[in-house]
Amino acid sequence: MEGPIVLVGHSYGGAVISQAAEGNPKVKALVFVTALIPDVGEQISALAAKSTTSQLGPTNYTNADGSTGTQLTVNPDKFHDGFAADVPADLTRVIAAQQRPTDATVFSSVPTAAAWRTIPLWSLIARQDLALGADLERFEADRAHSKTVEVDSSHVPMFSQPNAVTDLILDAAKHTGR
């Protein structure tokens, strides 16, 4: 890819972009949209547990070999109110039906890099986020000295506040030095 790169991550994707950007001189900005921003050596589940408002929880399942695994998913009956309350109910029913559970073991991972420590970052905090929790998002943004925007949104502002998300990404892109 030519030119400067702006990486954008939502939810767990924040942990992914912070790790992936480490050592890549083309990455000039990171944008965290209601996202996790873990530090080096900080177990992701311990970071997520800092929220006092998150309503996400684990559920168990049985693997093909009979062993038990744990996944994180949102109960479809509670998806609208707990994950996307500001999105039309008919759309949240479709999103809930299409969600893919996340294996809970990803939350036991411990980042070996935190590119947000050296790359400028922007954060979007959703005041009504019941998935990660606005309290966690504020803590992370403050700790990272992020340029921050807050919106009245659920965990999915890309659906309910797409202009705010786009504006934040464009603001980050303006500051890439290109």
Side-chain angles (χ1 to χ4, degrees), residues 3 27 31-32 35-36 45 48 67 72 74 135 139 145 148 161 164 168 172:
V27 178
V31 179
F32 296 87
L36 292 165
S45 61
S67 64
L72 301 171
V74 180
D135 58 341
F139 163 78
H145 306 291
T148 304
Q161 302 277 336
L168 189 66

Side-chain angles (χ1 to χ4, degrees), residues 14-178:
V16 174
I17 67 169
S18 188
Q19 181 80 35
E22 184 69 23
N24 185 336
K26 290 185 174 185
V27 178
K28 302 297 183 187
L30 301 170
V31 179
F32 296 87
V33 178
T34 62
L36 292 165
I37 310 174
D39 204 352
V40 172
E42 181 175 44
Q43 189 173 43
I44 293 172
S45 61
L47 175 61
K50 291 181 185 295
S51 176
T52 61
T53 59
S54 175
Q55 295 183 8
L56 288 184
T59 57
N60 293 324
Y61 63 94
T62 303
N63 290 307
D65 66 2
S67 64
T68 300
T70 303
Q71 64 188 13
L72 301 171
T73 189
V74 180
N75 180 326
D77 295 335
K78 298 180 180 183
F79 194 92
H80 181 265
D81 293 343
F83 198 79
D86 54 343
V87 177
D90 58 336
L91 178 57
T92 60
R93 280 192 293 277
V94 172
I95 299 168
Q98 294 176 340
Q99 72 175 313
R100 295 195 53 179
T102 301
D103 190 311
T105 59
V106 300
F107 283 83
S108 65
S109 63
V110 177
T112 58
W116 59 263
R117 290 197 161 277
T118 58
I119 298 172
L121 69 146
W122 284 252
S123 297
L124 187 139
I125 296 168
R127 291 185 193 112
Q128 284 81 42
D129 188 346
L130 299 178
L132 286 184
D135 58 341
L136 173 62
E137 294 165 21
R138 280 188 201 97
F139 163 78
E140 294 174 311
D142 289 346
R143 174 175 75 172
H145 306 291
S146 177
K147 295 165 191 76
T148 304
V149 170
E150 289 201 22
V151 295
D152 288 320
S153 173
S154 66
H155 186 62
V156 288
M158 63 287 280
F159 289 106
S160 63
Q161 302 277 336
N163 291 339
V165 175
T166 301
D167 290 347
L168 189 66
I169 295 167
L170 290 174
D171 187 49
K174 283 192 307 192
H175 291 87
T176 61
R178 185 163 198 194

